[in-house]
């Protein structure tokens, strides 16, 4: 039988590299792999042009398509991008923001769209843990350190009681933060002024690693940013192929996981990061042997929390569940 030709797109991650370089094969699939300079270019090609059969999508980008009259995609429980996000909240040092509650009444910038993936999680945490809800702030959406192409390939919902405006064209939210034109910023990317250690900017949570580790110990949630989707046609016509695609992503992740673990024998000298093995050991102790899990079972709480936040923040028309968004054949994973 001839293998099914599939176009598969994702960014250049260590956990997907074994697929792209051919180390891991997907049974029954003749795969062509695609990437892009920035990951949102993959999102746009998938959503606007349907360029791929299988594609990485930001969770919010995917969930916004679920409100289309005919939702075009369904997800497999693969999460190529996940990140703790207390560290994603930046503040202007003269804005009087010393604790999360001080964000109330402030003007906050947000990268790309209102409710980008690295914004949904911090807003939810601020609401759940500190009582700071999005309606208590004014929001300005824009680019960071470079002119941002408008994200015009998905809807831009937000509740009527939340003030959301666009930053002037060509403006830089990082510069606006440094100069005090905005009081705070939530961003997936680190602004240049922070990387250059400007005294006018800082993080809301200075010791963010300790805060994030304590958050995981308390909640068991390793926040999810992106998933992988397949076309509805592929899911309905070739369910066994979709299961093979899921296994391929799992196998690719396992390859690099094993490399890191075996690398500890030799102090991970293949990398140029001092104390890298110590970090892996600390992560194993906290997160467990499978510290980057795929599948529904080990991620249900993290996914359900994201879906709740997405609905509460007015980004979904209804409260979705894992059963709504994942391929039925993979709900038992």
């Amino acid at each position: 039988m001839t293998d099914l030709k599939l176009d598969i797109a994702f960014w250049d991650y260590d956990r997907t590299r074994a697929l792209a370089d051919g180390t891991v094969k997907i049974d029954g699939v003749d795969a062509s792999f695609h990437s892009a300079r920035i990951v949102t270019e993959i999102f746009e090609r998938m959503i606007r042009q349907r360029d791929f059969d299988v594609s990485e999508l930001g969770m919010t980008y995917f969930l916004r398509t679920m409100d289309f009259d005919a939702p075009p995609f369904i997800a497999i429980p693969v999460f190529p991008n996940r990140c703790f996000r207390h560290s994603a909240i930046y503040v202007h040092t003269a804005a009087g923001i010393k604790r999360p509650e001080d964000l109330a009444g402030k003007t906050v910038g947000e990268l790309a769209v209102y409710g980008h993936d690295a914004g949904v999680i911090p807003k939810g945490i601020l609401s759940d843990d500190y009582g700071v809800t999005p309606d208590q702030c004014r929001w300005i959406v824009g680019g960071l350190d470079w002119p941002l192409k408008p994200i015009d390939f998905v809807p831009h919902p937000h509740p009527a009681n939340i003030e959301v405006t666009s930053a002037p064209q060509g403006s830089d939210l990082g510069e606006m933060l440094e100069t005090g034109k905005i009081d705070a910023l939530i961003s997936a990317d680190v602004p240049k002024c922070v990387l250059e250690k400007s005294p006018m900017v800082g993080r809301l949570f200075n010791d963010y690693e300790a805060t994030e580790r304590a958050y995981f110990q308390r909640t068991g949630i390793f926040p999810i940013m992106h998933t992988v989707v397949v076309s509805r046609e592929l899911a309905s016509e070739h369910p066994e192929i979709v299961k093979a695609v899921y296994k391929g992503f799992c196998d690719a992740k396992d390859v690099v996981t094993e490399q890191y673990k075996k690398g500890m024998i030799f102090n991970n000298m293949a990398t140029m990061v001092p104390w890298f093995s110590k970090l892996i050991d600390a992560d194993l102790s906290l997160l467990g042997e499978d510290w980057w899990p795929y599948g529904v079972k080990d991620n249900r709480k993290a996914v359900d929390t994201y879906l709740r936040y997405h609905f509460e923040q007015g980004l979904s028309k209804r409260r979705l569940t894992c059963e709504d968004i994942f391929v039925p054949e993979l709900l038992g994973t």
Side-chain angles (χ1 to χ4, degrees):
M1 183 181 294
T2 304
D3 288 346
L4 184 66
K5 291 183 179 293
L6 293 182
D7 288 293
I8 302 176
F10 44 74
W11 202 62
D12 182 22
Y13 302 109
D14 56 356
R15 49 263 183 209
T16 56
R17 206 161 290 150
L19 282 171
D21 68 16
T23 301
V24 168
K25 305 291 186 182
I26 301 174
D27 289 345
V29 172
D30 178 6
S32 296
F33 295 103
H34 307 265
S35 192
R37 179 181 61 91
I38 56 175
V39 72
T40 50
E41 293 176 359
I42 295 173
F43 302 169
E44 180 174 11
R45 290 182 61 186
M46 184 60 165
I47 293 172
R48 193 192 296 278
Q49 294 146 217
R50 309 290 196 271
D51 276 351
F52 313 114
D53 304 290
V54 179
S55 178
E56 177 184 1
L57 277 187
M59 281 290 286
T60 188
Y61 291 85
F62 164 52
L63 295 178
R64 293 173 200 224
T65 71
M66 292 292 289
D67 286 333
F68 290 0
D69 290 339
F73 314 122
I74 191 164
I76 63 176
V78 167
F79 312 105
N81 187 318
R82 58 197 310 162
C83 189
F84 293 97
R85 289 303 190 189
H86 291 76
S87 53
I89 310 173
Y90 306 92
V91 298
H92 181 68
T93 53
I97 302 170
K98 304 299 183 185
R99 58 194 187 114
E101 292 84 353
D102 295 331
L103 287 168
K106 302 299 187 183
T107 300
V108 184
E110 183 165 6
L111 177 67
V113 295
Y114 178 75
H116 78 310
D117 288 306
V120 171
I121 292 294
K123 288 175 192 168
I125 290 171
L126 288 170
S127 178
D128 279 358
D129 294 347
Y130 304 99
V132 180
T133 53
D135 61 293
Q136 296 175 0
C137 304
R138 297 174 296 276
W139 298 89
I140 297 181
V141 174
L144 188 71
D145 300 331
W146 65 86
L148 180 72
K149 183 180 176 183
I151 306 295
D152 59 0
F153 52 91
V154 289
H156 289 241
H158 66 82
N161 66 329
I162 296 180
E163 181 183 339
V164 180
T165 59
S166 296
Q169 187 172 3
S171 61
D172 169 8
L173 290 175
E175 182 181 27
M176 293 174 70
L177 179 69
E178 187 175 23
T179 58
K181 293 179 181 177
I182 57 176
D183 302 306
L185 170 68
I186 297 180
S187 174
D189 300 333
V190 183
K192 181 180 177 183
C193 56
V194 173
L195 294 173
E196 293 180 348
K197 303 187 186 309
S198 166
M200 300 311 299
V201 297
R203 282 187 165 94
L204 176 62
F205 299 95
N206 287 322
D207 191 355
Y208 61 84
E209 181 184 350
T211 303
E212 291 168 348
R213 287 182 178 275
Y215 170 80
F216 179 83
Q217 286 181 311
R218 176 168 55 85
T219 67
I221 294 172
F222 186 172
I224 290 166
M225 300 294 117
H226 299 175
T227 189
V228 173
V229 304
V230 302
S231 67
R232 296 264 175 177
E233 293 79 9
L234 180 64
S236 63
E237 296 172 9
H238 300 282
E240 292 305 313
I241 289 293
V242 172
K243 289 166 72 173
V245 169
Y246 169 75
K247 183 178 184 301
F249 275 96
C250 292
D251 290 347
K253 177 176 70 79
D254 290 345
V255 166
V256 73
T257 300
E258 191 64 19
Q259 287 174 353
Y260 289 144
K261 288 181 179 179
K262 285 186 175 179
M264 294 175 75
I265 298 170
F266 308 105
N267 293 300
N268 274 291
M269 288 184 291
T271 74
M272 52 189 291
V273 181
W275 304 292
F276 186 55
S277 290
K278 186 175 186 297
L279 175 61
I280 292 173
D281 194 45
D283 286 346
L284 285 168
S285 296
L286 176 64
L287 303 172
E289 285 294 316
D290 184 8
W291 71 83
W292 196 284
Y294 292 166
V296 174
K297 180 181 177 182
D298 290 339
N299 290 284
R300 184 175 284 274
K301 185 175 182 181
V303 173
D304 282 345
T305 299
Y306 192 105
L307 295 175
R308 173 170 66 85
Y309 288 167
H310 208 259
F311 176 69
E312 290 175 349
Q313 294 169 27
L315 303 172
S316 292
K317 291 181 179 178
R318 62 187 178 95
R319 172 78 177 272
L320 295 163
T321 68
C322 287
E323 285 68 25
D324 294 318
I325 68 170
F326 291 122
V327 171
E329 290 80 4
L330 294 172
L331 286 170
T333 57

